[in-house]
């Protein structure tokens, strides 16, 4: 292998800060560029002001800088075909192709594939016409979920309690176009009940290397109330997920998925991330994503006891095998997201953040930046809805959570908010 690898990481959130943090620890890491990055990432990498969805800009940058590997965090560039573009320019990367990314980019296509693979999923139907969608809702009185087919930054699924709510959801998505063109089609699903978890794996040419499971908290407010967000906190492992369920994910979900993709002529190379629910009829699939979750990546990097750069590099060259092992630190990790008041709706930015140095002194803790910038006086200021992803690890879940909150309590800004109950299920199960 070349002595040092020059890297380009795409994205600018907490997930990308976490990836850069871990990649930078590798003895193989040379210069790390990040497009666009953020003020926290700039402490470890050279940030370049090119947006993650500017495919031309990214490909030119990778060529000019002759990078050895591109690591893409977010879904948008992958859905738009970043991997294909990089491969055409002979730049090594590990991420799903445009065809493979339909698994995340079109919920209808993804559900269709799950049917072909005979995977465990809720009942669903896809509609292009709002009247037909409404008629279906009226004919199905049970609780439903109405989803914009396309990409909607994790916010396009409306979980409805009754028929009126579902009719209203169809109207918001298809008529008012609350999620823009993503809502030209909707997927209407049976609403499942149960505990959710995230299962991520490296998937390359049919080689499946699973990572520990984690649990995200999607709702904005305590008690799992309020609107869906990108994620307000996470922890790993998840006591409710048995070893048997973990095997089920690989054998009954990922393996048949690889087969069904192959029948479509698609080889999936990249991170695969099924979002799952433990129902009283077994584990069911809520969705597939083709990237690391955010804040799931934060809790996973905290537990990685292997060289992430070595694995990414091998994967980009098709060198992962069933004999590749990923070692994980025993114990647990947890992440609490600190957000701007108003998120996931409108919020203000530019608020000076205090307490970061004190938080950094909390043992076994790292504060990843999700949305920060440097203010006029050289200080860190808020620059996003999700601002910080405060991540900690320890011998067990409660200890990791306690540490994360200890660090969170040292940080503040005008209009900061965070959930006080991240890991509530974990804490309940450990009593
Ligand atoms: P998605 O955008 O598909 O990730 O959905 C966002 C969130 O909506 C999920 O994490 C679930 O909490 C919820 N959700 C989506 N589909 C369903 C379903 N069929 N049943 C119950 N909850 C769902
Ligand atoms: N935290 C959920 C996601 O990244 O999709």
């Amino acid at each position: 292998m070349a002595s040092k690898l020059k890297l380009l990481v795409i994205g600018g959130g907490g997930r990308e800060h976490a990836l850069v943090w871990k990649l930078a620890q590798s003895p193989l890491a040379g210069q790390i560029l990040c497009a666009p990055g953020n003020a926290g990432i700039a402490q470890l990498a050279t940030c370049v002001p090119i947006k993650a969805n500017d495919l031309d800009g990214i490909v030119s940058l990778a060529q000019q800088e002759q990078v050895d590997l591109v690591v893409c965090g977010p879904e948008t560039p992958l859905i738009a075909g970043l991997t294909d573009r990089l491969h055409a320019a002979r730049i090594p990367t590990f991420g799903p192709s445009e065809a493979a990314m339909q698994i995340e980019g079109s919920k209808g296509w993804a559900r269709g594939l799950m049917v072909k693979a005979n995977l465990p999923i809720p009942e669903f139907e896809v509609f292009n016409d709002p009247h037909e969608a409404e008629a279906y809702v009226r004919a199905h009185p049970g609780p439903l979920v109405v989803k914009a087919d396309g990409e909607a930054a994790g916010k396009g699924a409306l979980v409805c309690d009754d028929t009126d709510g579902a009719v209203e959801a169809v109207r918001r998505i298809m008529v008012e176009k609350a999620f823009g063109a993503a809502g030209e089609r909707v997927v209407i699903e049976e609403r499942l009940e149960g505990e959710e978890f995230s299962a991520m794996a490296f998937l390359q040419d049919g080689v499946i290397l699973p990572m520990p499971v984690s649990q995200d908290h999607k709702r904005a407010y305590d008690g799992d109330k309020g609107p869906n967000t990108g994620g307000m906190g996470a922890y790993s492992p998840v006591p409710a997920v048995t070893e048997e369920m973990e095997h089920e994910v690989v054998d009954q979900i990922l393996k048949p998925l690889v087969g069904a993709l192959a029948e479509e002529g698609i080889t999936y190379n990249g991170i695969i991330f099924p979002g799952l629910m433990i129902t009283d009829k077994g584990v069911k699939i809520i969705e597939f994503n083709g990237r690391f979750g955010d804040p799931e990546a934060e809790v996973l990097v905290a537990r990685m006891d292997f060289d992430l750069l070595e694995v990414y590099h091998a994967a980009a060259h098709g060198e992962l095998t069933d004999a590749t092992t990923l070692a994980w630190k025993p114990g647990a990790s947890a992440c609490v997201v600190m957000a701007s008041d108003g998120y996931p709706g409108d919020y203000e930015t530019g608020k000076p953040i205090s307490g970061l140095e004190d938080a950094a002194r909390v043992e076994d803790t790292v504060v990843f930046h999700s949305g920060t910038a440097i203010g006029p006086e050289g200080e860190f200021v808020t620059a996003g809805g999700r601002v910080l992803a405060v991540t900690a690890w320890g011998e067990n879940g409660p200890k990791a959570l306690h540490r994360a909150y200890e660090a969170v309590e040292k940080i503040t800004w005008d209009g900061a908010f965070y959930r006080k109950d991240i890991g509530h299920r974990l804490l309940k199960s450990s009593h």
Side-chain angles (χ1 to χ4, degrees):
M1 201 180 285
S3 48
K4 293 275 185 190
L5 299 170
K6 188 169 182 178
L7 309 180
L8 171 57
V9 177
I10 309 302
R15 164 183 50 211
E16 289 75 28
H17 191 182
L19 292 172
V20 167
W21 177 79
K22 185 67 193 171
L23 292 166
Q25 291 168 25
S26 168
L28 301 170
Q31 190 189 7
I32 305 182
L33 304 170
C34 187
N38 63 37
I41 294 174
Q43 296 172 308
L44 299 168
T46 307
C47 293
V48 186
I50 293 176
K51 294 211 170 80
N53 51 11
D54 175 1
L55 269 52
D56 291 335
I58 291 168
V59 175
S60 307
L61 177 69
Q63 283 175 316
Q64 272 162 22
E65 294 286 341
Q66 301 191 331
V67 301
D68 298 299
L69 180 69
V70 175
V71 172
C72 181
E75 60 275 20
T76 310
L78 297 170
I79 291 171
L82 177 65
T83 301
D84 312 70
R85 295 279 305 272
L86 290 169
H87 283 161
R90 301 183 168 280
I91 298 158
T93 191
F94 175 62
S97 63
E98 187 175 354
M101 257 326 258
Q102 292 177 89
I103 207 163
E104 176 164 3
S106 167
K107 290 185 191 291
W109 186 89
R111 281 294 189 218
L113 187 76
M114 294 182 229
V115 170
K116 287 182 196 158
N118 199 19
L119 301 183
I121 58 173
E123 262 186 56
F124 75 99
E125 208 66 59
V126 182
F127 297 95
N128 294 301
D129 178 277
H131 302 291
E132 286 175 25
E134 184 177 331
Y136 178 88
V137 167
R138 296 204 184 278
H140 290 77
L144 297 170
V145 181
V146 184
K147 300 181 178 184
D149 178 72
E151 198 198 335
K155 297 169 203 156
L158 303 181
V159 179
C160 310
D161 293 322
D162 51 30
T163 302
D164 286 350
V167 169
E168 168 63 17
V170 168
R171 205 177 53 77
R172 267 187 68 200
I173 297 176
M174 299 192 93
V175 182
E176 287 174 11
K177 295 272 160 54
F179 307 105
E184 273 162 20
R185 288 213 292 177
V186 291
V187 181
I188 304 184
E189 299 182 356
E190 161 199 9
R191 174 173 164 184
L192 303 174
E193 296 294 339
E195 193 165 334
E196 284 184 65
F197 67 101
S198 303
M200 269 150 261
F202 289 87
L203 176 48
Q204 173 234 289
D205 299 316
V207 174
I208 300 167
L209 303 177
M211 295 184 246
V213 298
S214 52
Q215 187 168 75
D216 179 16
H217 296 59
K218 290 221 166 79
R219 301 296 194 104
Y221 314 129
D222 285 4
D224 294 317
K225 301 260 174 11
N228 267 327
T229 69
M232 294 299 293
Y235 60 93
S236 171
V238 185
V241 180
T242 62
E243 221 170 283
E244 193 186 337
M245 290 179 201
E246 293 190 49
H247 290 304
E248 218 176 294
V249 172
V250 173
D251 295 330
Q252 287 166 40
I253 294 176
L254 295 180
K255 284 185 184 164
L257 175 75
V258 169
L261 283 163
E263 290 200 1
E264 304 289 313
I266 296 171
T267 304
Y268 192 105
N269 286 321
I271 304 295
I272 182 81
F273 160 15
L276 302 155
M277 192 179 268
I278 308 171
T279 73
D280 53 11
K281 296 197 189 92
V283 172
K284 300 228 176 172
I285 303 164
I286 297 290
E287 61 168 355
F288 282 109
N289 300 301
R291 51 171 174 89
F292 275 106
D294 187 352
E296 288 92 333
E298 286 89 319
V299 291
L300 287 177
V301 299
R303 295 190 58 206
M304 286 179 184
D305 207 6
F306 60 90
D307 185 335
L308 179 64
L309 177 48
E310 197 178 304
V311 171
Y312 252 109
H313 187 261
H317 292 85
E319 291 165 3
L320 296 181
T321 70
D322 290 323
T324 310
T325 52
L326 307 177
W328 300 90
K329 289 181 197 151
S333 55
C335 170
V336 178
V337 170
M338 298 184 74
S340 300
D341 200 13
Y343 174 77
D346 294 337
Y347 51 82
E348 291 178 11
T349 58
K351 309 286 182 194
I353 304 168
S354 66
L356 285 167
E357 283 172 13
D358 283 347
R361 279 192 282 274
V362 178
E363 198 189 356
D364 294 337
T365 300
V366 53
V367 179
F368 295 123
H369 291 219
S370 305
T372 63
I374 299 293
E377 275 145 48
E379 78 283 34
F380 287 109
V381 298
T382 64
R386 291 192 290 181
V387 175
L388 301 171
V390 181
T391 306
W393 53 96
E395 305 87 282
N396 54 43
K399 287 217 167 110
L401 277 166
H402 182 79
R403 263 183 203 140
Y405 274 112
E406 193 183 330
V408 163
E409 279 154 19
K410 297 188 190 298
I411 302 172
T412 190
W413 67 85
D414 174 23
F417 93 93
Y418 57 88
R419 278 184 59 165
K420 313 270 189 311
D421 65 344
I422 299 303
H424 60 92
R425 291 189 192 82
L426 167 85
L427 293 175
K428 219 180 274 164
S429 72
S430 60
H431 282 303

